[in-house]
Amino acid sequence: MLLTTDTPIAHTRPRFDDIFMELAVNLAKRSHCIKAQVGAVLTRDTRIISIGYNGPPAGTHNCDEEYPGVGCPRDSKGSCSLALHAEENAILYAAKNGSEVEGATIYVTLSPCIACARIIYSMKIARVIYLHSYAEYKGIASDEGVDFLRRFGVTVERYHPGKGVTLVAEPPLATKRL
C-alpha cells in the first residue's frame, strides 16, 4: 500500500513509478513459491501491457502445495528448477497476446537475474526499475543482470519512492536458502 505523508489540502499525486511498483509488490503476493515472491509489471508510457509473478507454468502445480515446507527441487545453482521468473511471465504473456514490448518499462520487485536480463534485452525493453537487489538476495558479488543490461544500453534504476510517498508493503524474501 502507498501512503502519502502530505495533508489532504497539499495532496501529492503518486508518480506512475510508485503506482506500478506498488502493483508489482502486490502481484508478488500471488506467488506460490515458498522461497521468494517476486512481481513484475510491464508498461508502456502510463499504460500496463502485462503483469507477472514467479511460479511454475500455468497448469502444472503449485510449489507450496506439492512441496509444502521445502519448496520445489533446486537446480545446480540453488534456484527453483520448475518456475518461471516474474519478468518471464510478464513478457511471455505480453508476447502471447500480441502486445508490443519494444521500448517498454518493466517494474520488478527483485532485480533481474542474468537469464532474465538477456530476455529483457532481446525483447528491446528500454527501462528496468527494481525494488530489491538480486545480488544481495543471493549473496553474490554483483547484480549480473543489471550489469549486463547497463552494458548494452538498457536504463536500469533502483526504485526510490517519490516525494511524499512511502511503499509500506513489501514482498517477503526468505532470509535462509532452502
Side-chain angles (χ1 to χ4, degrees):
M1 168 168 65
L2 290 175
L3 292 180
T4 58
T5 56
D6 297 328
T7 64
I9 296 169
H11 175 71
T12 300
R13 292 173 44 189
R15 304 169 305 151
F16 280 102
D17 284 355
D18 300 318
I19 292 167
F20 296 142
M21 187 56 75
E22 178 188 20
L23 178 55
V25 165
N26 282 312
L27 285 166
K29 296 172 188 174
R30 297 274 312 150
S31 174
H32 284 274
C33 181
I34 66 168
K35 184 176 179 186
Q37 295 75 43
V38 181
V41 178
L42 188 61
T43 69
R44 175 184 304 293
D45 302 319
T46 60
R47 300 291 180 237
I48 296 169
I49 298 170
S50 184
I51 60 174
Y53 51 87
N54 64 316
T60 59
H61 71 279
N62 290 323
C63 302
D64 58 345
E65 295 167 1
E66 189 165 331
Y67 306 99
V70 295
C72 292
R74 302 290 162 198
D75 64 17
S76 62
K77 293 184 180 179
S79 296
C80 177
S81 61
L82 303 173
L84 294 168
H85 288 187
E87 304 95 317
E88 292 172 310
N89 268 322
I91 293 166
L92 287 168
Y93 187 80
K96 177 180 174 183
N97 290 296
S99 297
E100 178 61 49
V101 300
E102 185 173 341
T105 297
I106 192 163
Y107 295 82
V108 64
T109 58
L110 191 62
S111 62
C113 68
I114 189 67
C116 287
R118 289 190 290 255
I119 293 168
I120 289 167
Y121 176 77
S122 296
M123 295 301 290
K124 299 184 180 185
I125 293 170
R127 185 173 172 233
V128 176
I129 309 295
Y130 69 92
L131 181 59
H132 297 290
S133 163
Y134 183 80
E136 292 169 9
Y137 167 65
K138 284 295 217 179
I140 57 178
S142 71
D143 273 305
E144 298 167 319
V146 170
D147 297 341
F148 173 89
L149 290 166
R150 286 182 175 149
R151 177 177 176 202
F152 293 104
V154 176
T155 302
V156 182
E157 304 166 25
R158 190 158 193 170
Y159 171 77
H160 298 285
K163 182 180 178 205
V165 173
T166 303
L167 186 64
V168 295
E170 293 191 21
L173 290 174
T175 53
K176 107 177 169 180
R177 289 193 200 115
L178 301 175

